[in-house]
Each structure stands twice: as C-alpha cells, then as structure tokens.
Amino acid sequence: MHVLVTGGAGYIGSHAALLLLEAGHRVSVFDNLSNSSPEALKRVHQMSGSAPELFVGDLLDADRVTEVLEITKPDAVIHFGGLKAVGESVEKPITYYQNNVVGTLNLITAMESAQVKRLVFSSSATVYAESKELPLVENAQRDASNPYGRTKLHIEQILEDLAVSDPQWSIAILRYFNPVGAHPSGNIGEDPQGIPNNLMPFIAQVAVGRRNEVRVFGTDYPTYDGTGVRDYIHVMDLAQGHLDALGYLNQNTGQYVWNLGTGSGTSVLDVIGAFSRACGRQLPYELVDRRPGDIAEYYGDPTTARLELGWKAERGIEEMARDMWKWQSNNPSGYPDYDLEGIPEDELNKFIRGARESLPETK
Ligand code: NAD
Ligand code: UDP
C-alpha cells in the first residue's frame, strides 16, 4: 500500500512510518516540521532501508494539501498532524481549533476530491468524560475538558458525519491512552521542545541530568498509592495498532473507534521506580500539590481492538522506561537542531535518503 502520513516526522508518526516501511508499504509524509525534524525520517530510512518521501506543507494550506493528495494518490491516509499541548490550547484556543479542526477539514476535503477514502485518525482518551467506571470503553460518555480535547471531539464528530453521508469511506478513530517509550534501538523517540509537561519525558530529562528532580503532582488521590494513575502505552505497540487498523479498513467500510491502551494503570511513583531501574539510579523526586485540572485515575479497555484487530499491547512499563532511557541517553538533547529556513524540499529528501550529508545546525 501507499500510505500518506500527516505529521509523519513527529513522535508517533515516525514510529508508524518505520513499521509501515518495514512491512513493505510505501510511505509519503506530509508535515510542516513545526514540531519535528527531518532527522527522524533520515533515521527511519537508515533503520528500515527504505526512505519515506517528505512533502513539506501545512494542513492549513488547502491548495497544498490538495496538490499532495493528487501527486501521491495514496491508498490510505494516517492523520497524526496536529498540535497537542493541553496548556497551550487553553492559551491559544483559536490556533488549536484552526490547526486541528480546519486542518482536518482541509485534509478530508482534499481526500474526497482525490477519491481517497481510507483514513486512520489520532484521537485521544482525553475525549472521555471523567468517569468512576473504569476501564473506559469506547461507548463511554464523551466530554473533553480543554480546547485541545475539544478539537479531538469535534474531529471525531465530523468523521462520524462523513461516514454516515458516504458509505464508501473507511475511517478508524484511534483513542490513544498515554504514549511513552521509544524504538528499542534508541534511534528515534520523543523530542519535546522546552520543559516537558508530560511525566515520562520529564523523568527522562531528570535521568539524563537536564533537570534536577521530578515533581509528583498530588499524593492524596484515591488511587493505590495516592498518586495519579494512567494507562501508559509503548509507542511501538501504538504504532502497530495503526497498521492493524489499516488492514481492517482495507476489508471494511464504515467508521470504527478503538481504544489503544494496555488496560491497566500505573501510578506516578511506579513510573519513577521503573525509570530508576532502567537508568540504574534512584531518581530524585519531590511530593507537591496536585496539578490543577488533573484527574485521579483512568485507563482504557482495549478489548475491542483485540477482538476486531487482533491487536494487543505487548510491552509493559519496564520496557517503556528501558527504551525511553535508551533514546534519551543516546540523544541527551534530542535531535540536532537544524536551521531549515530556505532549504528546498528536494534537498531535505536528499538528506533523508543520505544523498546529502548534512543540514546547517543552529546549536
Ligand atoms: P508530534 O508533535 O510529535 O507530531 C505531530 C506532527 O504534526 C509534527 O511533526 C508536527 O510538525 C506536525 N504538524 C502539526 N501541525 C501541522 C500542520 N498544520 N500541518 C502539517 N503538519 C503539522 O505529536 P505526537 O505525539 O506524535 O502526536 C501525534 C498525534 O497523536 C497528534 O494528533 C496528537 O494530538 C495525537 N495524540 C498524541 C498523544 C501524546 O501524548 N503524544 C496522545 C493522544 C493523541
Ligand atoms: N505528573 C507528575 N509530574 C509531572 C508530570 C505529570 O506527577 O511532572 C503526573 C500527572 O499529575 C498525572 C500523570 O503524571 O497523574 C501523567 O501526566 P501526563 O501529563 O504525562 O499525562 P496526562 O495528565 O495528560 O494523562
């Protein structure tokens, strides 16, 4: 298959691109590189032996999206492209609605005119309303609590309406729980800009000496040790879920929703413990007040994905910490910071393919 991957240079997208190439698919990536680096795609090429082709473009540029769909004529699209920082979405709601909702509208409009009607969409467990009934199942009540989550909710509804309007569409909505970890080689991984908001990347930066200590937000939650509990999912398992969903969409039209999680929760203290074992020293932490807006505990029920896709998370918290540590210790400052200003797309593709040795660095 030929798969167009929006946001394919990013954290989850680069892992999915790798698995697609390793499975023999052809991969085109559409990305504006606003939160990612061509270095990730170069490494994907080095690891898989096949190069993804990069189309630099913005989902908000409708003409460019249409053009890339027409040039590539893919069999399917996996849509990772979007902004994902909850705090930033509270400060800049219009930017988030534009980028995520309008960007998706541009994508599906272009897909429709190119007669490409197979789509896998990155949704999130954040679309679930807070519930005491755990694990969360796909038909649980939805109600996002911040603008980022609401963009995902709106997109889910748009995709549902689309599937009802035209039965030729095949659409998978994948609700991720908390993606962490990295490829076990440590060659690709998550490269957050600035101070990480999420727990695991923050711990990784403490482990590598970039930050002093982890702050544990809240110790009085009604959970097994008083700290927040989440369903962490290894990015390699998550990436595999996209391939399985694509396989399903090849056989079925309509719209489907699948939770991608492990089905069980891990506390903040247990994540710190796993990472301490992975890096070989007890990581320092401080117990502080709850973070406003956080909920005590949630984890998903992945049974539907297991029954319908044959997908199941294979890796536990120890492997998540081990692989994250491998990535962080091999790449203490993340990917090199390239100055991409004015570098044409074909030069970036030469770099990804190894035909051009380097790109100018800013640091
Ligand atoms: P990421 O930021 O690493 O990847 C997103 C990619 O999209 C980046 O490469 C970025 O440059 C690109 N992008 C953003 N806006 C774009 C635009 N307008 N046009 C073209 N490209 C654009 O994030 P990720 O963690 O890999 O997340 C991928 C998807 O999964 C996102 O949609 C995110 O909301 C969703 N998701 C992520 C998590 C998580 O915790 N990482 C959890 C649930 C859902
Ligand atoms: N958390 C923490 N310290 C941090 C970051 C997060 O204790 O520096 C806690 C947070 O309160 C939550 C869990 O870790 O219980 C996961 O938080 P994260 O931001 O990674 O994911 P989300 O809250 O979006 O599920």
Side-chain angles (χ1 to χ4, degrees), residues 34 56 90 95 110 189 296 320 344:
S34 60
V56 179
V90 176
T95 304
M320 299 181 210

Side-chain angles (χ1 to χ4, degrees), residues 130-141:
E130 191 171 347
S131 169
K132 289 200 168 57
E133 274 175 47
L134 297 175
L136 293 161
V137 290
E138 282 86 353
N139 60 6
Q141 196 192 338

Side-chain angles (χ1 to χ4, degrees), residues 202-212 281 283 325 328 332:
F202 196 100
I203 297 176
Q205 293 196 0
V206 172
V208 84
R210 281 171 69 180
R211 321 232 164 247
N212 291 334
R281 74 183 171 96
L283 294 172
W325 173 236
Q328 190 72 64

Side-chain angles (χ1 to χ4, degrees), residues 11-12 31-32 34-36 58-59 80 84 99 148 152 179:
Y11 170 43
I12 306 168
D31 204 302
N32 65 2
S34 60
N35 196 36
S36 53
D58 198 304
L59 288 160
F80 294 103
K84 62 166 182 176
N99 197 78
Y148 164 69
K152 295 291 179 190

